[in-house]
Amino acid sequence: MNIASINNSIQTQKQQLLQHPLYEKVQTLEDLHCFLESHVYAVWDFMSLLKALQSKLTCTTTPWFATSNSEMRYLINEIVVAEESDLTLDGKRQSHFEMYLDAMRASGANTDEIESFIANVFSLQNIFVAIKQSQLHPNIKAFLDFTFKTIEEGKTHKIAAAFTFGREDLIPVMFTEILRNFEQNLPETDLKKLIYYFERHIELDADEHGPMAMQMISELCGNDAVKWQEVEETSILALEKRIGLWDAIEERIIMHVAMA
């Protein structure tokens, strides 16, 4: 098994994501806010996958020791630099999650729920209890549970699979088109930061992070058939959880429209 066979194995889930009816439901600014206020959890938990990989593949404790694979050290540290301290639209340094929050605020979306959730995670010091106690949609809970259980299991190749294949790289392209339509039809709405966020992801994923993450998977699995099998299973599960997240957002938009 190799990267090509994994890509082949996840085609069904990828097509489900790319053809999901959610995209057509984002018609109004309120619909967009519904999307952002739920999708932000995927932006946040992605950072934990990233830092879990960094802690596995580099030395983040003292005394410092050189980890065995210097190429992997380089790959994950390069990704961390961009994801955790990228240049914003106005030339400051922020993580992509902080950029997303700023973009939400600029567009008029509410960040209270995600900020309250994170404050509760910090207070409880237990992500699973925080997820269970939250009022989030069951699909969002399942999405987050899967991420943190994969991290807790501690198998680096499975964390890398959720990180690499569980985040559909064509979705930012779709949402950039949706946002451009909003920008044309609602010129008074500030979507510049949101468009920048998605365009930055397209640029980084295509040119740098995507190829780096694929190389990381290949290095981690090598000729180990069991690891490749686990990467395949984790990738399919991660995409299924993402489809569940999309279902939850679509449901939220439909309910919002019905109540309007």
Side-chain angles (χ1 to χ4, degrees):
M1 201 176 284
N2 55 28
I3 293 293
S5 58
I6 300 292
N7 274 319
N8 188 54
S9 298
I10 62 177
Q11 278 308 306
T12 300
Q13 288 76 20
K14 284 177 77 171
Q15 286 308 308
Q16 278 183 264
L17 266 177
L18 294 173
Q19 294 166 11
H20 200 286
L22 167 65
Y23 308 113
E24 294 173 1
K25 298 287 195 304
V26 185
Q27 298 286 335
T28 67
L29 189 59
E30 289 74 23
D31 298 339
L32 178 63
H33 290 164
C34 284
F35 170 80
L36 297 173
E37 288 162 18
S38 294
H39 176 245
V40 68
Y41 292 92
V43 180
W44 176 71
D45 82 332
F46 176 82
M47 299 301 295
S48 289
L49 286 168
L50 174 67
K51 298 304 283 186
L53 284 172
Q54 188 183 33
S55 71
K56 293 280 185 186
L57 299 174
T58 74
C59 183
T60 57
T61 56
T62 57
W64 178 86
F65 299 98
T67 48
S68 59
N69 191 319
S70 58
E71 186 65 23
M72 291 240 259
R73 250 184 274 154
Y74 166 76
L75 290 173
I76 195 64
N77 281 333
E78 277 292 298
I79 297 173
V80 167
V81 167
E83 293 288 346
E84 201 170 33
S85 51
D86 202 5
L87 272 176
T88 64
L89 188 60
D90 50 5
K92 297 175 183 174
R93 291 282 176 189
Q94 277 188 329
S95 69
H96 281 194
F97 173 67
E98 291 165 308
M99 285 167 62
Y100 197 88
L101 284 182
D102 276 358
M104 284 177 68
R105 295 183 192 106
S107 76
N110 195 319
T111 61
D112 290 349
E113 187 186 79
I114 179 67
E115 288 174 318
S116 173
F117 174 77
I118 291 172
N120 202 37
V121 172
F122 187 81
S123 171
L124 290 168
Q125 292 294 300
N126 187 314
I127 181 63
F128 299 107
V129 173
I131 293 167
K132 190 174 181 180
Q133 286 185 356
S134 75
Q135 300 300 307
L136 295 171
H137 189 286
N139 289 16
I140 300 178
K141 289 186 177 186
F143 180 88
L144 292 170
D145 259 325
F146 172 77
T147 294
F148 288 99
K149 280 175 181 171
T150 302
I151 291 169
E152 186 180 55
E153 187 182 357
K155 291 188 176 182
T156 311
H157 59 286
K158 292 179 75 170
I159 299 169
F163 178 86
T164 303
F165 294 106
R167 309 295 163 141
E168 180 45 59
D169 55 359
L170 294 177
I171 286 168
V173 179
M174 289 189 153
F175 273 99
T176 302
E177 289 306 307
I178 291 171
L179 292 169
R180 291 210 179 284
N181 288 335
F182 274 109
E183 199 174 39
Q184 286 176 351
N185 298 324
L186 297 166
E188 72 281 4
T189 307
D190 185 1
L191 299 176
K192 292 190 294 295
K193 289 183 176 180
L194 208 49
I195 290 170
Y196 176 80
Y197 169 87
F198 280 113
E199 286 186 335
R200 188 75 181 120
H201 262 268
I202 294 163
E203 178 188 352
L204 286 171
D205 287 349
D207 298 341
E208 299 173 38
H209 294 180
M212 283 177 172
M214 296 296 178
Q215 187 182 341
M216 183 167 56
I217 294 274
S218 295
E219 293 261 355
L220 285 168
C221 293
N223 296 316
D224 190 323
V226 173
K227 285 184 177 179
W228 279 112
Q229 182 64 38
E230 289 182 338
V231 162
E232 180 182 69
E233 291 166 0
T234 302
S235 301
I236 290 170
L237 265 174
L239 287 169
E240 286 175 351
K241 297 300 179 188
R242 171 59 73 107
I243 293 164
L245 174 65
W246 259 213
D247 291 343
I249 300 173
E250 183 190 15
E251 184 183 314
R252 178 173 175 171
I253 291 172
I254 291 169
M255 285 177 64
H256 181 81
V257 170
M259 292 169 64

